[in-house]
Amino acid sequence: MAANKVDTLLAELETLAQQLGIRLRYESTRAKGGLCQVDGKFQFILDRKAAKDFRLLMLARAIKTFDLSNMYISPKLREYLDEEV
């Protein structure tokens, strides 16, 4: 996938995560990262050194677990979520 497309989709997913109340944390870690819940609030932790396409995939997988029926999602992002994840 082209770098600019990855950047665009990742930015859209980050915005969507914030709208869903998910706190994004990019940290130095040896783990792949993922979604967790701390004190009833969702957090998504991912290694800041991870490639952008990996970040995109991991965040998309986490966000797909939420009810997105009332959220605006661009056609390109919806296509990515439906086909790639």
Side-chain angles (χ1 to χ4, degrees):
M1 185 181 308
N4 61 344
K5 184 174 181 181
V6 170
D7 288 340
T8 300
L9 292 175
L10 186 56
E12 286 184 42
L13 274 177
E14 288 172 339
T15 299
L16 187 57
Q18 290 174 345
Q19 291 171 351
L20 290 166
I22 302 169
R23 180 178 174 221
L24 301 175
R25 294 174 46 191
Y26 293 103
E27 299 181 3
S28 293
T29 178
R30 291 183 193 165
K32 291 182 180 181
L35 184 67
C36 64
Q37 199 170 12
V38 178
D39 293 330
K41 296 181 182 183
F42 286 102
Q43 296 187 28
F44 180 78
I45 303 168
L46 190 63
D47 187 353
R48 72 173 60 153
K49 296 176 186 173
K52 286 185 180 181
D53 58 340
F54 180 76
R55 290 187 210 176
L56 176 65
L57 180 63
M58 293 297 289
L59 185 54
R61 286 180 179 170
I63 285 179
K64 266 188 93 164
T65 65
F66 288 82
D67 178 12
L68 303 174
S69 60
N70 293 325
M71 308 293 292
Y72 172 76
I73 301 173
S74 73
K76 289 188 181 207
L77 181 55
R78 187 166 300 280
E79 179 182 346
Y80 178 77
L81 291 171
D82 290 342
E83 294 179 8
E84 300 295 327
V85 180

